[in-house]
Amino acid sequence: MHAIISVHFVDNAQHPIDELPFEIRQAGILWKKGTTDKDGNAGSYVIVKNGTEAKSDVDKLVGGLPKGGQTLYTNSPDAPIEIHIVTDTKEKKLLHQTTIKWNQCSRIVARSKWIKINLPLTPNTAQERDEAQQRTETCGFATVQYEVGSPGTKKFATAKVIVCDLPKKIIDTAMKYRGSTAWAYSTAKSTRHPDGHTRDFSAGTNKCSLFVHDVLTEAGLKVPWIEYGRISRMLPWYQKLSPPVAEEWATAGKLATNWNSSSTPQPGDVGAYKVNYADASGHVGFVVCPGVTISAGNKTVLVNDAGFRVKKMTPQERTANDSQRETQREHDFTLFRRHKSVKAG
């Protein structure tokens, strides 16, 4: 009585997760621990119910597996296989479980709900430990690939992320639209405030701020709209309500009722800078992890290092960048906005 399995890890976008510590357990017994390879593979195995297969037959089965295949024995054929992730703080999180399909070959794909940064610091009190446990239960793990430099450079890097609670929900929502053209410069788009106001954005307009608004709204947050254009109280028909633009997100005194300001980025933050472009007031997007952003670009929603490039420049590169006109140079985010319901740290 045997089964053959292969185990693979992918993130929420179906990308393989490499270098991820894992454990495979069954019936309370540690079967295997290790780290995924560059393709997210965690190995191939022949599972055998003790006393049901001759060793020579088992050896033949293992010989047919990819290099490194192993045998796992069990006395509990009905117990599920459990796939755990081992966090940076050595906590074990159950990511996937499945029953053994005897006399079959199975490909087990353990899919993370998200993407890696360290979990909260080790709590000191019982209450903090309880809160940390609740946060752990709503955390996700993965590796995100992002583009380095201006769009089209075709240079990529990866970052490991762990995010929890509301920041996780914000990034999960944003990542659904990676590659989308719905907020492209050449695309017309409308948005609706929960209060009933609508706002149309025509083709030929930048929509990075609209992307931020739409993602936050979908994630369940109410974003205040800003009043533009009213000349006086006597001419209310000139009033135009619209989602906040990059300049508002980049100004600490604005949107302050529900949004804290910080100079230190955390996953799920809204990052922004203000520059007086001809057709925009700056740029705004979401922090996936420090150094990585998801935002609406000119053509598609991009995951890249926008808003963090100047910090990574050499002194010579920074001097060259500073010599350009303000509207042509690279800019880093100057402010990070965090909803007041999110705990610091």
Side-chain angles (χ1 to χ4, degrees):
M1 189 173 180
H2 70 269
I4 298 175
I5 65 168
S6 61
V7 182
H8 312 267
F9 286 83
V10 298
D11 67 10
N12 200 33
Q14 296 295 334
H15 298 135
I17 310 174
D18 65 336
E19 299 181 359
L20 184 68
F22 69 88
E23 290 186 358
I24 303 174
R25 293 177 172 269
Q26 198 253 0
I29 297 173
L30 175 62
W31 263 355
K32 173 69 178 179
K33 65 186 301 184
T35 303
T36 57
D37 67 14
K38 64 181 180 64
D39 298 314
N41 298 318
S44 299
Y45 309 92
V46 175
I47 303 173
V48 179
K49 181 182 177 183
N50 274 324
T52 62
E53 298 274 353
K55 185 178 184 305
S56 58
D57 293 332
V58 173
D59 290 343
K60 289 179 182 178
L61 292 170
V62 173
L65 298 179
K67 185 179 180 180
Q70 299 179 31
T71 307
L72 306 173
Y73 290 91
T74 181
N75 290 316
S76 304
D78 297 325
I81 301 170
E82 297 178 350
I83 312 295
H84 296 257
I85 285 175
V86 182
T87 73
D88 293 343
T89 55
K90 308 305 179 185
E91 295 179 78
K92 298 173 180 62
K93 177 179 173 63
L94 177 64
L95 184 63
H96 183 87
Q97 64 179 14
T98 184
T99 56
I100 301 174
K101 296 178 174 61
W102 293 107
N103 301 314
Q104 296 183 38
C105 296
S106 303
R107 186 175 189 268
I108 298 175
V109 178
R111 181 179 178 182
S112 167
K113 294 180 180 178
W114 182 228
I115 352 177
K116 208 171 164 188
I117 287 173
N118 292 332
L119 281 171
L121 297 175
T122 304
N124 296 319
T125 68
Q127 180 180 354
E128 289 174 340
R129 284 194 293 272
D130 289 343
E131 291 176 354
Q133 179 61 33
Q134 290 176 351
R135 292 190 69 191
T136 300
E137 291 171 355
T138 57
C139 291
F141 309 73
T143 299
V144 62
Q145 186 182 66
Y146 64 100
E147 192 168 8
V148 178
S150 302
T153 60
K154 303 302 181 183
K155 296 180 181 179
F156 295 91
T158 59
K160 293 185 180 296
V161 186
I162 296 172
V163 285
C164 311
D165 308 320
L166 181 57
K168 175 182 183 301
K169 188 174 184 180
I170 291 171
I171 301 177
D172 275 341
T173 305
M175 288 293 286
K176 290 195 308 182
Y177 299 109
R178 183 178 193 175
S180 171
T181 59
W183 293 269
Y185 186 84
S186 60
T187 302
K189 197 176 191 307
S190 298
T191 192
R192 183 181 179 86
H193 192 272
D195 290 344
H197 292 98
T198 58
R199 175 77 164 90
D200 297 326
F201 290 79
S202 63
T205 57
N206 288 295
K207 302 177 184 70
C208 62
S209 59
L210 179 60
F211 174 70
V212 167
H213 167 270
D214 290 351
V215 167
L216 292 174
T217 301
E218 185 176 338
L221 297 174
K222 186 175 180 180
V223 181
W225 283 28
I226 309 297
E227 181 181 308
Y228 302 95
R230 178 186 286 195
I231 298 175
S232 73
R233 293 181 182 274
M234 302 301 295
L235 300 173
W237 53 86
Y238 278 95
Q239 178 191 36
K240 182 179 290 185
L241 293 175
S242 185
V245 296
E247 180 183 4
E248 274 102 32
W249 285 111
T251 304
K254 297 183 179 181
L255 309 174
T257 301
N258 293 314
W259 296 88
N260 290 323
S261 299
S262 175
S263 59
T264 305
Q266 291 185 9
D269 284 356
V270 177
Y273 66 79
K274 52 185 175 182
V275 170
N276 189 26
Y277 295 115
D279 54 359
S281 64
H283 187 63
V284 62
F286 295 104
V287 177
V288 177
C289 65
V292 183
T293 306
I294 180 167
S295 61
N298 191 51
K299 296 181 179 179
T300 64
V301 174
L302 299 167
V303 178
N304 57 21
D305 57 352
F308 294 99
R309 292 171 186 155
V310 177
K311 184 178 181 180
K312 297 186 296 183
M313 289 180 180
T314 65
Q316 294 81 4
E317 291 171 335
R318 190 169 299 182
T319 298
N321 185 62
D322 291 344
S323 68
Q324 298 185 57
R325 293 169 55 186
E326 184 181 46
T327 55
Q328 295 178 337
R329 71 177 72 137
E330 291 283 359
H331 293 274
D332 278 357
F333 290 145
T334 57
L335 199 66
F336 301 94
R337 311 302 296 271
R338 196 167 305 137
H339 196 267
K340 289 189 174 181
S341 64
V342 178
K343 293 183 178 181

